[in-house]
Amino acid sequence: MPSAFIPIVLLAEATGLVVLGLVITWMVKYQDGFALDRTSKEFNLHPVFMILGFLFLNANALMTYRVLGNAFNRTAVKIIHLLFQALAVACASFGLSCVFHFHNAMGYANLYSLHSWLGITTFAFFSLQLILGFVAFVIFGIFAPSSSVTFRKVYLHLHVYGGALIFIMAGVTSMLGTAEFISFKIPTYATLPPQGVLANVLGAFIAIFVALVCYILYNTKYKASAVQSANPYEEQINIEKD
Ligand code: HEM
């Protein structure tokens, strides 16, 4: 493994934690904090849980094969990948329920903005990817390993491409949401108040985080060399997937 790999992964993780720290600070310091009461305090949970689920946990799921591929066998890595994704969708579902509760309690329209259209599409793609991945690599992998090799090989390319696409969509959606939140909540934005600076820095760190994670995913030098499997059919897919 190239020597830059661990520092770059640590930098990506630190950037992800800074993103989380910034969005929590924004909501607590400038936006009344959190409560499950269908007011704007419940809405404030939306950005935090969307970023936690679709950016931070999703990124860790995507990087599992790179980061843990040499330390664990393929089945263990697959389970960890799946657990991160399941946790990500649970957080995102909660984050979405908070904004729908708030909109419905206030009598606001649902799904009218570009942010919400891209956001609901990201959520649909993520859920579909999770279901298809589970069926292809867990159900077929366990119950029909030999007869599903071709299907799994073909689907794997789509799954890998889809995973990165959904992550980038989540980054773009989060930045659109940030811009929309600024327009609703910071009337003095043009004078660059501290809250506006914080929101801008959040957007910049989201972009840096997405760029670092994509760099790790697309740099073939960082591919784990010793991804092993107890299942020979899976090994075959693994070998053929490049
Ligand atoms: C991947 C991350 C995100 C997804 C998938 C997402 C998705 C959504 C969806 C589907 C809605 C519409 C809810 C409704 O119509 O009732 C919404 C609303 C909203 N979101 Fe997000 N969101 C994300 C991140 C963020 C972030 C980070 C912020 C702000 C920092 C944000 C701010 C807003 C705002 C202000 C609304 C209400 C206005 C509107 O409906 O567009 N979102 N979001």
Side-chain angles (χ1 to χ4, degrees), residues 118-153:
L118 193 60
I120 211 74
T121 308
T122 305
F123 187 83
F125 281 6
F126 191 101
S127 307
L128 190 68
Q129 167 95 332
L130 191 63
I131 293 165
L132 287 178
F134 186 78
V135 170
F137 304 124
V138 178
I139 305 286
F140 285 3
I142 292 171
F143 297 107
S146 56
S147 53
S148 64
V149 167
T150 309
F151 165 70
R152 286 189 292 151
K153 219 170 70 185

Side-chain angles (χ1 to χ4, degrees), residues 84-134:
F84 266 124
Q85 300 289 25
L87 218 53
V89 84
C91 287
S93 304
F94 176 69
L96 271 190
S97 75
C98 291
V99 67
F100 279 108
H101 279 166
F102 171 66
H103 273 195
N104 293 342
M106 303 300 286
Y108 295 160
N110 287 314
L111 299 175
Y112 63 87
S113 64
L114 174 60
H115 165 72
S116 65
W117 285 18
L118 193 60
I120 211 74
T121 308
T122 305
F123 187 83
F125 281 6
F126 191 101
S127 307
L128 190 68
Q129 167 95 332
L130 191 63
I131 293 165
L132 287 178
F134 186 78

Side-chain angles (χ1 to χ4, degrees), residues 34-212:
F34 310 112
L36 279 174
D37 58 0
R38 296 183 183 241
T39 69
S40 61
K41 291 186 181 184
E42 179 162 345
F43 172 84
N44 292 346
L45 290 164
H46 168 70
V48 173
F49 275 84
M50 299 318 289
I51 284 178
L52 174 64
F54 275 176
L55 286 183
F56 190 69
L57 293 172
N58 187 17
N60 277 285
L62 295 175
M63 293 191 296
T64 314
Y65 286 88
R66 289 279 194 270
V67 175
L68 301 177
N70 283 326
F72 297 96
N73 71 37
R74 195 166 177 80
T75 305
V77 176
K78 197 193 275 185
I79 291 169
I80 295 168
H81 175 72
L82 185 66
L83 285 178
F84 266 124
Q85 300 289 25
L87 218 53
V89 84
C91 287
S93 304
F94 176 69
L96 271 190
S97 75
C98 291
V99 67
F100 279 108
H101 279 166
F102 171 66
H103 273 195
N104 293 342
M106 303 300 286
Y108 295 160
N110 287 314
L111 299 175
Y112 63 87
S113 64
L114 174 60
H115 165 72
S116 65
W117 285 18
L118 193 60
I120 211 74
T121 308
T122 305
F123 187 83
F125 281 6
F126 191 101
S127 307
L128 190 68
Q129 167 95 332
L130 191 63
I131 293 165
L132 287 178
F134 186 78
V135 170
F137 304 124
V138 178
I139 305 286
F140 285 3
I142 292 171
F143 297 107
S146 56
S147 53
S148 64
V149 167
T150 309
F151 165 70
R152 286 189 292 151
K153 219 170 70 185
V154 171
Y155 174 61
L156 185 62
H157 286 285
L158 191 62
H159 185 80
V160 169
Y161 169 73
L165 177 71
I166 292 164
F167 179 65
I168 292 168
M169 283 172 72
V172 174
T173 303
S174 297
M175 282 194 263
L176 279 177
T178 302
E180 203 174 66
F181 199 90
I182 289 169
S183 73
F184 292 159
K185 297 284 191 159
I186 318 183
T188 57
Y189 185 52
T191 64
L192 210 59
Q195 184 180 185
V197 174
L198 188 149
N200 288 355
V201 173
L202 169 66
F205 266 88
I206 290 173
I208 296 167
F209 181 58
V210 172
L212 283 170

